[in-house]
Amino acid sequence: PLIPEANETVSVSATIVDDGSISSSVLHYGFASNALNQTVNMTASGNTYTANIPGYSSGTDVYFKISATDNESNESQSSVYQYQVAEEAGTISLPFLEDFNDETLGIFVQYSVTGSEQYWENDDYNSTYFAKMSNYNGSTNIENEDWMITPAINLNDYTGEILEFQSAMQDYSDNSTEIFLKYSLNYSGSGNPNTASWVDLSSQALWSDGDYNWVSSGEIDLSNISGSSVHIAFIYESEDGTGK
């Protein structure tokens, strides 16, 4: 998984080939990129080598790499990779502010329906932190459907509720990329959000006009929504070859 849940085991696999044979392959992992002091011998099935990283608590950053040695004692190493265990979602109490300054997605849960290469993540520019989604993989733009969802909110406990946020986007003349704002009364809080029903609030918000200009959404009225378990989501959708 790109973003494992708390205590979820992560399986790492690699295809390793050599002009002779592979004598050993080792998974190295740890909690800093320069301190991969935990090791696991990988199990081979043909050219595919697999090993597991144990589950860790919410918010833990895990770094790992793979080393392989052939029958002539030549060793190769992969790049260092990293993932962060998902934060516990919990339930939101109002009023609530998420500024992303802890360098994570905070209380939000990320779910990728389409597109395994990109997902919502924390980023910053000039020390301003934000949640970012892009479908550019370094060489091209690919199809994505990625959700960033709040924990449950009991809107029955409040009156006069409003939502406000800021957005900054880049616009391209050929883009087929959209961001939506929706809410659900029957989402379970985990798993594919398309199994639930969602109501679109996108037209009630003001969005960035491009060139990465920050724009306030204005106050979005939630006061007519009733429910003890309401989830609010930002959804990023893009097609191959287009993006913002």
Side-chain angles (χ1 to χ4, degrees), residues 86-107:
E87 294 284 345
E88 293 289 353
T91 301
I92 296 179
S93 298
L94 303 183
F96 179 81
L97 170 68
E98 179 58 72
D99 57 17
F100 302 106
N101 284 340
D102 65 353
E103 301 183 41
T104 74
L105 290 181
I107 51 83

Side-chain angles (χ1 to χ4, degrees), residues 47-209:
N47 291 330
T48 301
Y49 291 75
T50 306
N52 292 333
I53 298 176
Y56 289 99
S57 59
S58 298
T60 302
D61 289 302
V62 179
Y63 298 80
F64 67 93
K65 70 178 181 181
I66 294 169
S67 66
T69 304
D70 69 8
N71 60 309
E72 297 179 338
S73 299
N74 298 308
E75 184 183 69
S76 294
Q77 296 190 5
S78 74
S79 301
V80 176
Y81 299 91
Q82 181 264 343
Y83 62 86
Q84 184 181 73
V85 182
E87 294 284 345
E88 293 289 353
T91 301
I92 296 179
S93 298
L94 303 183
F96 179 81
L97 170 68
E98 179 58 72
D99 57 17
F100 302 106
N101 284 340
D102 65 353
E103 301 183 41
T104 74
L105 290 181
I107 51 83
F108 285 92
V109 173
Q110 194 283 147
Y111 191 94
S112 295
V113 175
T114 303
S116 60
E117 294 185 48
Q118 295 93 18
Y119 46 90
W120 285 96
E121 59 186 350
N122 186 289
D123 203 352
D124 76 289
Y125 181 75
N126 288 339
S127 299
T128 297
Y129 289 89
F130 45 83
K132 177 183 177 180
M133 176 61 205
S134 171
N135 69 332
Y136 184 64
N137 68 358
S139 59
T140 188
N141 297 301
I142 64 174
E143 180 182 1
N144 275 270
E145 180 188 336
D146 288 86
W147 293 63
M148 188 174 70
I149 311 171
T150 69
I153 311 170
N154 185 357
L155 291 184
N156 294 338
D157 285 347
Y158 306 96
T159 58
E161 309 95 313
I162 61 171
L163 168 67
E164 190 170 6
F165 61 90
Q166 295 186 57
S167 65
M169 307 177 199
Q170 176 66 306
D171 228 343
Y172 298 98
S173 59
D174 64 346
N175 85 73
S176 294
T177 302
E178 296 181 273
I179 296 181
F180 300 96
L181 173 68
K182 299 182 180 182
Y183 76 88
S184 175
L185 302 178
N186 63 353
Y187 181 54
S188 68
S190 63
N192 190 339
N194 287 319
T195 60
S197 301
W198 294 85
V199 179
D200 199 334
L201 297 172
S202 306
S203 63
Q204 297 187 32
L206 299 175
W207 299 88
S208 173
D209 55 2

Side-chain angles (χ1 to χ4, degrees), residues 206-244:
L206 299 175
W207 299 88
S208 173
D209 55 2
D211 294 325
Y212 295 122
N213 294 322
W214 286 101
V215 171
S216 173
S217 64
E219 294 185 353
I220 300 166
D221 185 8
L222 306 179
S223 62
N224 60 351
I225 303 173
S226 297
S228 60
S229 183
V230 180
H231 293 267
I232 298 173
F234 293 88
I235 305 99
Y236 177 101
E237 296 185 3
S238 63
E239 297 180 3
D240 287 336
T242 61
K244 65 179 178 181

